Amino acid sequence: MARRVVVALLGSVSWSPPGVDLAEWRAALAEDVIDLFATLNEVEVAVAVTPADRALADALVWPGTTVYEVAEATPNAVFAALEGYDQAAVLVADVPDLPALTVGKLLRPLTTRPVAVAPVEGGGPGLLGVAVRLPAPDWLPTLHLDTARPAEARANAPRPADVAVTAGWRRLRGPADLATLDPAFEGWEATRALLSGSGRPA
C-alpha cells in the first residue's frame, strides 16, 4: 500500500467575522482542519508553516504530528520537504467543515494520474488543495492556493489529463462564505465556539 500524507498548510488569513480577533479566528480554523485530518484512515497527517508561524503550529498539533517549516507557503515547497512518502496532499486551513470524503477524492486519482487539484467551490480564484505522486513532477508550476486555478496546474503538463480535477469545497474567506456554514454538520468545534462567543449564530 502506498504511504500517503495529508498536510495542512497554515497560510495567511486576511479576514475574520466582526468582533472576532483575526489571530484567534485563524487558529480556530486551523485547529478544526487539523482535527479533521486526524480522523482520516490510511494516511499520515502533518502541518506545514513558514518559520514565522511555527509557534502557531506547535500550539495546535496533536502529539507526534510532524511540522514542516517551508520557505514559502506553497504546496510545491511542502512536496519538496517530504521524504519517505509515495503520495501527498496539501490543503488549505480555512475549511473547518470540510467533509473527510473530499480529502479522499483528492487522493484517489493518484492511482492513475500524477497530479490532482481540488478547486474552490463556485469557481472563484484559489484551490482547496493539491495532491501528487512523489516526487512531484518537474512540470508542475508553483501554485499559490489563494490564487491558482486548475488550468494553471495543467499549463505545462504533457497531457491535460495528467491533472485530475476533483470535488471542490468553499473556503471561509469572507462574510458570504461564513453564511454557508451548516450548524447541523458535525465537527468544526473550535470555529463554532468562537462564533458563539462573538454572539453570531453557529
Side-chain angles (χ1 to χ4, degrees), residues 72 74-77 79 115 117 127 130 132 136-144 148-157 163:
E72 61 176 3
T74 65
N76 309 70
F79 297 144
V115 176
V117 296
L127 296 171
V130 182
V132 302
D138 56 12
W139 49 258
L140 184 67
T142 298
L143 300 172
H144 296 274
R149 296 177 184 266
E152 186 177 337
R154 284 178 164 160
N156 300 321
V163 179

Side-chain angles (χ1 to χ4, degrees), residues 71-105:
E72 61 176 3
T74 65
N76 309 70
V78 179
F79 297 144
L82 298 173
E83 295 182 359
Y85 295 101
D86 303 299
Q87 301 175 2
V90 176
L91 291 98
V92 294
D94 54 9
V95 284
D97 62 338
L98 179 70
L101 187 61
T102 304
V103 183
K105 288 179 177 178

Side-chain angles (χ1 to χ4, degrees), residues 3 5 7 9 46-50 66-72 74-85 88 90 132 134-136:
R3 189 180 178 203
V5 62
V7 184
L9 178 57
V47 171
V49 291
T50 59
T66 301
V67 176
Y68 293 95
E69 288 190 20
V70 292
E72 61 176 3
T74 65
N76 309 70
V78 179
F79 297 144
L82 298 173
E83 295 182 359
Y85 295 101
V90 176
V132 302
L134 294 171

